[in-house]
Amino acid sequence: MPAKKLVELQISHIQKTFGKGKHAKKILKGAHIHLKPGECTLLSGKNGSGKSTLMRIIAGLLKPDSLQLAINQQQTSGRKACRLLRQQVMYLYQEAYMFDGSVMRNLSYALSEKNPQKLQSALRWADLEHRKDTQAKCLSGGEKQRLALAQAWLKRPGILLLDEPTANMDKHAKRRTGKLLGEFKQAGITLLIATHDLDHLLPIMDRRLILENGKLLEANKRGTLQTK
Amino acid sequence: MHSLSDSILEAFSLLFSGNAELWQIIGISFQISTTAILIAAIPAILIGFILAYTDFPGRRLLISIFNTLLAVPAVVVGLSLYIVLSRQGPLGEWHLLFTQTAMVLGQITLSFPILVAMSHSAFQSAEIRAWDTARTLSSNALRAFLIMLREVRFGLLGALLAAYGRIIAEVGASMMLGGNILHYTRNIPTAIALETSKGEFAQGIALGIILLLMSFLLTTVLHYLQGRGMLAHAR
């Protein structure tokens, strides 16, 4: 895969509250995150701690209450920040959403121009050549994940966010996914992966963050919190 | 007055003999309703999309308003637009009353809430993950919107057909705004009303058959599309 222009992302004072009045629940309480170019950061935290919310905010898909952003050291905020994030960041759901249509059609959505050769090479890369005419919604969980990764491979974002990419997979599929993610890292794409399943991702991990009480804490590889 | 069987036979004879007046009325009906749907569709689908995927103050109120407007009788729409377009009305100077344009306006007003409410439901049925995925894959919002249009196409086609079915058969607004002028604003429902009031059932029955066929066709296509849509989302 050709190398990608490295992207550095710093987001601070991320706050997000769901609900209003008595039912308001503050999920993120001024979290700070610094994604260094080409690094792979693993994000863990209890269920419901706000990992998916944080990732959707970083991807520019969910509007935070407040946020300060610096992409490649350029400061910005507000709507422009969301737009910039959407341009640089790609977010993959835990269970990838497949649109109605074949694998090939779903893959083509990641390209802004028609390029059958690129599509073929992406299919080969994700080992989905034999499934190219299959309805994407009929793929297995592992195949859907590989198709989503192939879309990312084509789009080549500066930063790739993955929400539990190995959840509900067997060991073989987890190894395969781990290998594909390693190729993203080699290509210089910055990775942030929310996961409970560290074993298959430890080889590519550079840093580990834990989301606790709405804030991000730095931890070592074993998950022990480090003093800031 | 003819017997019912005579009238039915005469109705079929009118249809198959290619009666110019009858087919002109059918042509006017389809021309006006198709124009109205074509004008209303794009803004209504856009509003349905915005209501489904964006959050802004007053969104829920807007959804309630559009849902309420679904039940507004055609004659009330006709009356409201009649007041606006009549000589003393705010748009009286435009001389639109008793024209095809006035009928198109009436049918746009009638079809708009149906199109908004049904396209809103269609977009909502695709869940937020679909929209997030479309945005994260696309280089711009327009492309993401086009991906979503394809994803919910069966639901949107259903909305178009349901709205078309409503306006092609409505009589209240067409009668008040068009004035039922032969060769100009007389459409299927207003012609049926007129011929029946004169005791001339044959033409009314012939036009009724066309409306029934149209309704059967729309319902069959709608049923098929809804089945396809459900199948697509269940996979």
Side-chain angles (χ1 to χ4, degrees):
Chain A
M1 179 163 41
K4 174 84 189 173
K5 189 186 162 198
L6 297 178
V7 175
E8 182 179 16
L9 183 75
Q10 260 184 297
I11 311 180
S12 49
H13 305 294
I14 311 170
Q15 302 212 32
K16 182 68 189 173
T17 306
F18 287 108
K20 281 178 185 170
K22 264 194 247 172
H23 305 289
K25 194 175 176 193
K26 203 162 194 176
I27 300 288
L28 298 171
K29 303 169 185 170
H32 299 254
I33 190 164
H34 182 190
L35 297 176
K36 294 172 189 166
E39 270 194 0
C40 173
T41 307
L42 295 193
L43 172 67
S44 47
K46 289 178 189 160
N47 284 338
S49 59
K51 298 189 295 290
S52 300
T53 301
L54 175 69
M55 293 190 114
R56 287 187 69 217
I57 289 173
I58 297 174
L61 299 172
L62 183 66
K63 209 175 145 198
D65 301 336
S66 71
L67 161 153
Q68 280 177 2
L69 168 75
I71 289 186
N72 292 337
Q73 322 233 322
Q74 275 196 318
Q75 297 273 346
T76 179
S77 61
R79 279 191 170 193
K80 196 179 169 198
C82 280
R83 203 174 56 243
L84 269 177
L85 286 170
R86 278 203 295 275
Q87 284 167 0
Q88 293 290 346
V89 182
M90 187 169 173
Y91 171 64
L92 302 189
Y93 269 99
Q94 177 175 341
E95 195 189 328
Y97 185 89
M98 294 294 135
F99 292 100
D100 184 35
S102 67
V103 166
M104 202 62 156
R105 176 178 283 278
N106 271 268
L107 201 53
S108 70
Y109 289 152
L111 284 179
S112 46
E113 79 288 349
K114 279 191 177 177
N115 193 330
Q117 280 180 330
K118 270 191 176 178
L119 292 178
Q120 278 298 340
S121 72
L123 281 174
R124 236 188 339 268
W125 178 79
D127 194 18
L128 286 169
E129 269 178 307
H130 60 297
R131 303 285 265 159
K132 70 175 182 179
D133 297 320
T134 308
Q135 260 288 336
K137 285 184 196 277
C138 297
L139 295 176
S140 70
E143 287 172 329
K144 281 182 185 170
Q145 188 61 260
R146 294 213 304 280
L147 177 53
L149 288 173
Q151 288 172 325
W153 187 90
L154 280 176
K155 194 173 180 226
R156 284 189 290 131
I159 297 165
L160 181 60
L161 311 181
L162 300 108
D163 200 346
E164 301 284 357
T166 55
N168 307 319
M169 281 184 187
D170 60 31
K171 272 189 179 174
H172 175 68
K174 282 180 184 178
R175 262 203 305 276
R176 217 169 183 179
T177 304
K179 185 176 160 276
L180 293 178
L181 290 175
E183 291 187 31
F184 278 103
K185 191 184 170 189
Q186 276 177 2
I189 291 177
T190 308
L191 296 169
L192 175 66
I193 307 172
T195 185
H196 287 106
D197 180 22
L198 296 165
D199 292 352
H200 295 88
L201 300 172
L202 273 178
I204 57 168
M205 177 177 88
D206 297 303
R207 288 166 64 217
R208 188 167 170 193
L209 296 172
I210 295 178
L211 186 59
E212 206 173 271
N213 295 323
K215 294 199 169 180
L216 279 166
L217 308 166
E218 194 93 28
N220 63 20
K221 288 200 172 190
R222 287 181 183 171
T224 312
L225 292 177
Q226 293 175 340
T227 46
K228 278 199 142 187
Chain B
M1 188 174 153
H2 297 289
S3 70
L4 183 63
S5 55
D6 286 344
S7 300
I8 293 173
L9 280 175
E10 203 182 325
F12 277 104
S13 151
L14 278 173
L15 279 174
F16 291 113
S17 65
N19 180 286
E21 186 181 312
L22 184 90
W23 285 101
Q24 190 186 38
I25 289 169
I26 295 167
I28 288 171
S29 248
F30 281 91
Q31 184 195 326
I32 289 172
S33 297
T34 308
T35 310
I37 283 289
L38 288 177
I39 295 172
I42 292 174
I45 288 171
L46 265 175
I47 292 174
F49 171 79
I50 290 167
L51 290 175
Y53 295 129
T54 57
D55 201 11
F56 56 88
R59 175 179 159 268
R60 280 168 194 272
L61 179 70
L62 260 181
I63 294 171
S64 298
I65 290 172
F66 279 115
N67 285 333
T68 309
L69 289 175
L70 286 174
V72 170
V75 72
V76 173
V77 170
L79 175 68
S80 312
L81 280 173
Y82 185 95
I83 293 167
V84 173
L85 299 178
S86 64
R87 278 195 182 178
Q88 291 83 11
L91 301 182
E93 284 178 13
W94 294 8
H95 304 291
L96 289 177
L97 203 57
F98 306 137
T99 63
Q100 290 191 354
T101 310
M103 290 171 81
V104 169
L105 281 176
Q107 296 199 355
I108 289 173
T109 315
L110 273 173
S111 61
F112 206 77
I114 302 173
L115 287 168
V116 170
M118 287 187 72
S119 34
H120 173 233
S121 300
F123 282 116
Q124 270 202 324
S125 71
E127 69 180 286
I128 192 74
R129 272 192 319 142
W131 174 229
D132 275 358
T133 306
R135 276 199 297 175
T136 208
L137 282 173
S138 308
S139 44
N140 58 57
L142 176 68
R143 202 173 137 76
F145 175 66
L146 293 176
I147 293 175
M148 287 308 299
L149 277 188
R150 188 186 181 277
E151 185 67 359
V152 301
R153 63 195 182 282
F154 298 119
L156 293 180
L157 274 170
L160 291 172
L161 292 178
Y164 200 79
R166 160 106 157 117
I167 60 173
I168 196 133
E170 71 78 26
V171 64
S174 292
M175 187 72 92
M176 295 184 85
L177 299 169
N180 204 11
I181 302 164
L182 187 61
H183 308 307
Y184 184 45
T185 59
R186 184 167 299 170
N187 63 5
I188 297 176
T190 59
I192 292 176
L194 178 73
E195 296 303 320
T196 308
S197 70
K198 291 193 315 196
E200 294 289 336
F201 294 114
Q203 198 184 61
I205 292 172
L207 292 168
I209 289 169
I210 295 290
L211 274 187
L212 272 176
L213 279 176
M214 172 81 188
S215 170
F216 173 74
L217 194 73
L218 286 180
T219 315
T220 309
V221 175
L222 193 62
H223 190 70
Y224 169 75
L225 290 176
Q226 279 171 346
R228 287 283 307 266
M230 269 154 49
L231 211 70
H233 284 112
R235 273 195 291 250

